[in-house]
Amino acid sequence: MLNRLPVAAAFLAASAVLAYGQSNLKPDATPRLPAQPGQGLSLEDQAFFSHAENLSAAVIDAGRVCAAKADDAQVKALGEDLVAVHTAQLEKTRALADRFKAARAPAAAAHPWDAEIATLKGLSGEALDRECLRWYWRAHMALVDLYQAQASQTPENDLAKFAILSLAQIQERFDRVRPLGAKYGLKTETLGQPPQY
């Protein structure tokens, strides 16, 4: 009988702890649910549109510099391609944002990436070619992070589909450019953090 008493006491104590823990469970106050009629997009989905627009605009600005100043014909062609592709991507992103009635930030006179573009403009020759590629690789990492997170987290089916299709195109382009980066000694693990526009 005495041997059973500590076991029973331990069982009662554990039950009390579990019951207290269960009573303190709180649901997520901001669940990711599709917008209901009359509601706007979630803050996360609105932030996605803002970041996607900023990244495409930054890639366009950098692409223009690389297309105009690069010595390496492949880097110059990459810059031209990035301008064309991200101009189209920016238009698609804005059209979808308008369809979802996403809040749009007013046009800024200055951008977070202006200093990086100024650095690109100040370079020439092989240093510019290498920096154009390094900049693109870092931007690619940021684009992948952004579109991958959006594809897996948004409750909006059309927005998830847009993110998935965009991600596939972004990755396909990068796979074609990767050998050019290797020619300049670039490796993904040595590029530093992707930009957080």
Side-chain angles (χ1 to χ4, degrees), residues 83-125:
V83 170
V85 166
H86 279 277
T87 298
Q89 182 70 19
L90 187 55
E91 289 171 5
K92 287 188 281 187
T93 303
R94 286 177 173 163
L96 191 60
D98 290 343
R99 196 179 112 209
F100 277 103
K101 297 180 174 53
R104 178 97 35 79
H111 306 102
W113 57 90
D114 287 346
E116 294 178 24
I117 302 305
T119 298
L120 278 177
K121 287 179 178 177
L123 298 173
S124 61

Side-chain angles (χ1 to χ4, degrees), residues 10-180:
F11 177 75
L12 288 173
S15 298
V17 169
L18 287 173
Y20 177 76
Q22 290 285 330
S23 67
N24 283 332
L25 288 178
K26 293 182 181 170
D28 185 356
T30 56
R32 299 285 309 261
L33 300 172
Q36 302 302 307
Q39 289 182 328
L41 279 179
S42 69
L43 293 176
E44 293 89 353
D45 287 341
Q46 298 230 22
F48 162 75
F49 281 119
S50 175
H51 291 309
E53 286 187 28
N54 282 347
L55 275 169
S56 282
V59 171
I60 291 166
D61 287 351
R64 286 185 178 134
V65 174
C66 298
K69 293 189 63 181
D71 281 352
D72 188 317
Q74 289 179 289
V75 176
K76 188 180 285 286
L78 171 64
E80 292 167 354
D81 182 56
L82 291 175
V83 170
V85 166
H86 279 277
T87 298
Q89 182 70 19
L90 187 55
E91 289 171 5
K92 287 188 281 187
T93 303
R94 286 177 173 163
L96 191 60
D98 290 343
R99 196 179 112 209
F100 277 103
K101 297 180 174 53
R104 178 97 35 79
H111 306 102
W113 57 90
D114 287 346
E116 294 178 24
I117 302 305
T119 298
L120 278 177
K121 287 179 178 177
L123 298 173
S124 61
E126 188 175 323
L128 172 67
D129 294 342
R130 179 179 288 104
E131 187 59 24
C132 282
L133 287 166
R134 192 186 76 78
W135 195 94
Y136 166 63
W137 279 36
R138 289 177 61 243
H140 168 78
M141 289 162 46
L143 286 161
V144 167
D145 286 349
L146 177 68
Y147 282 91
Q148 205 165 43
Q150 187 64 19
S152 63
Q153 294 173 7
T154 182
E156 301 289 346
N157 289 335
D158 287 349
L159 193 44
K161 181 179 177 183
F162 170 74
I164 290 166
L165 293 174
S166 298
L167 180 60
Q169 294 167 352
I170 289 164
Q171 190 59 48
E172 181 185 355
R173 183 168 304 100
F174 180 72
D175 289 342
R176 291 198 311 263
V177 174
R178 190 190 303 265
L180 182 59

